[in-house]
Amino acid sequence: MEPARRDVLAVTPWLAPIVWTGTFDPTIIDGAVKHQNITIATTVFAVAKYIRFLQDFLETAEKHYMVGLNVHFYIFTDQPNAVPTNVTMAAGRRVSVIKVPKFSRWQEISMRRMEFIQKAIEVDISHQANYIFCVDVDMQFHSRVGAEILGRLVAVLNPWLHKENRDSFNYERRAASTACIPLGKGDFYYAGGFFGGAVGEVHSLVKACRANLEADRAVGMEARCHEESHVNRYLLTNKPTKVLSPEYIWDEELGSGGPEIQVIRYATVRKNMKEVRENF
Ligand code: UD2
């Protein structure tokens, strides 16, 4: 049998698949998963002005994200009353709202997600779901994101850096940070805005990242790309069992992305940082 894609890396050096269009058959995957009756928790934070992104996130998720499967969205927000109630959810899909504080720095809002996801897994999600995916809210689904992403520990290639050499990655390089990955080390640069897997695996990831964020804070360090740096450090030791191509976290500022990007599935919404961020 011919490999489906010759133009891209479709398997990691530790033999995890890298999911690109053409490397999987959606019909076969859907057929294999349908009878399992699994539930996929999906966490999304919409704090402060980022609440404005939630409506489109949910509407596009209903069109393209895990269609036909049980999905439990956990929306973390400081404004529970502003969570849209007019998005029609298909059977088997629902929303829970969890109130979180609004921190004064956007970096803090982003980093503290680790702590809140850890707690939510312990209190609720571990009893409710088989898989969990943790995603950014300032994003929209444009095409299928389905059962092909399921795996024990799943990470996504950052679209800005997927063709770069490891020494050009945005890793934290300072040895004093628990997120440090020195030059010459590293596999890929993964996005902070989309990771997931089996609930127990993701619990280990967020718990470790939270502990390392707190250890850094205690010595006055903040990693270069916040919790994303810690996720990358964790995944260097704990290799993902499945890697998603940048189709799954595209940034339209990169244009159509060249011939290897055949489908854009989930992409960042252009945002005016000055307007939406608490501190800029
Ligand atoms: C990247 C990552 C992001 C995070 C960040 C750390 C992607 C697509 N994004 O995005 O996950 O690792 O780098 O530097 O890989 N949020 C709020 N309210 C705020 C600020 C943030 O709810 O006021 C939440 C929201 O869910 C948002 C997420 O935190 O999507 C990350 O913030 P961002 O999208 O502004 O971070 P960005 O674009 O630098």
Side-chain angles (χ1 to χ4, degrees):
M1 205 192 253
E2 284 289 298
R5 293 281 298 259
R6 289 182 177 279
D7 59 327
V8 289
L9 186 69
V11 62
T12 69
W14 58 94
L15 297 178
I18 307 182
V19 182
W20 296 88
T21 297
T23 61
F24 64 96
D25 182 328
T27 311
I28 293 179
I29 291 200
D30 287 348
V33 167
K34 207 165 67 184
H35 67 276
Q36 294 177 11
N37 195 28
I38 54 171
T39 295
I40 301 138
T42 302
T43 66
V44 64
F45 285 67
V47 177
K49 293 183 189 146
Y50 282 55
I51 193 85
R52 69 182 62 183
F53 299 115
L54 195 51
Q55 178 95 28
D56 286 345
F57 169 87
L58 287 171
E59 279 179 6
T60 60
E62 280 307 288
K63 285 198 193 119
H64 301 295
Y65 177 67
M66 300 292 184
V67 172
L69 298 173
N70 302 320
V71 177
H72 191 158
F73 293 98
Y74 289 82
I75 296 170
F76 297 75
T77 182
D78 56 327
Q79 305 150 76
N81 294 335
V83 172
T85 50
N86 58 350
V87 180
T88 310
M89 295 275 152
R93 299 164 73 93
R94 65 194 175 110
V95 166
S96 289
V97 177
I98 297 178
K99 189 156 191 229
V100 290
K102 175 179 128 182
F103 298 106
S104 56
R105 297 171 59 241
W106 73 267
Q107 298 91 332
E108 187 75 12
I109 296 172
S110 188
M111 289 187 287
R112 294 289 278 272
R113 291 186 292 179
M114 295 290 154
E115 170 187 338
F116 294 115
I117 296 169
Q118 182 195 337
K119 283 186 196 152
I121 291 176
E122 288 165 6
V123 171
D124 183 20
I125 297 172
S126 58
H127 311 292
Q128 307 261 357
N130 309 88
Y131 293 94
I132 174 172
F133 285 87
C134 308
V135 299
D136 273 12
V137 74
D138 53 328
M139 308 280 299
Q140 290 181 16
F141 295 90
H142 296 275
S143 193
R144 173 195 166 102
V145 174
E148 72 279 6
I149 75 168
L150 299 175
R152 208 157 52 72
L153 186 57
V154 183
V156 189
L157 298 180
N158 181 299
W160 289 92
L161 294 165
H162 74 283
K163 291 183 187 164
E164 300 294 323
N165 172 284
R166 58 163 63 85
D167 285 347
S168 317
F169 292 164
N170 287 345
Y171 292 149
E172 173 56 62
R173 303 290 188 188
R174 292 168 296 174
S177 169
T178 56
C180 178
I181 300 179
L183 287 174
K185 296 267 191 256
D187 303 309
F188 298 105
Y189 192 82
Y190 304 108
F194 192 174
F195 58 86
V199 173
E201 289 287 337
V202 176
H203 180 253
S204 301
L205 180 155
V206 292
K207 192 174 169 194
C209 289
R210 177 202 178 170
N212 289 337
L213 283 158
E214 288 175 1
D216 274 15
R217 186 192 305 267
V219 295
M221 295 287 307
E222 189 167 280
R224 178 174 178 185
C225 292
H226 316 105
E227 84 297 337
E228 183 175 82
S229 301
H230 290 273
V231 169
N232 272 278
R233 179 64 191 83
Y234 182 88
L235 293 171
L236 178 61
T237 306
N238 305 274
K239 305 285 191 219
T241 61
K242 188 176 272 186
V243 174
L244 308 181
S245 69
E247 295 169 14
Y248 289 85
I249 194 140
W250 194 244
D251 190 325
E252 280 165 0
E253 230 174 78
L254 289 161
S256 58
E260 76 277 14
I261 304 294
Q262 295 179 4
V263 178
I264 292 172
R265 300 176 184 277
Y266 184 52
T268 310
V269 175
R270 280 293 95 229
K271 59 184 188 271
N272 178 344
M273 307 286 196
K274 201 168 164 202
E275 195 192 334
V276 297
R277 284 187 165 162
E278 291 304 285
N279 54 307
F280 186 71

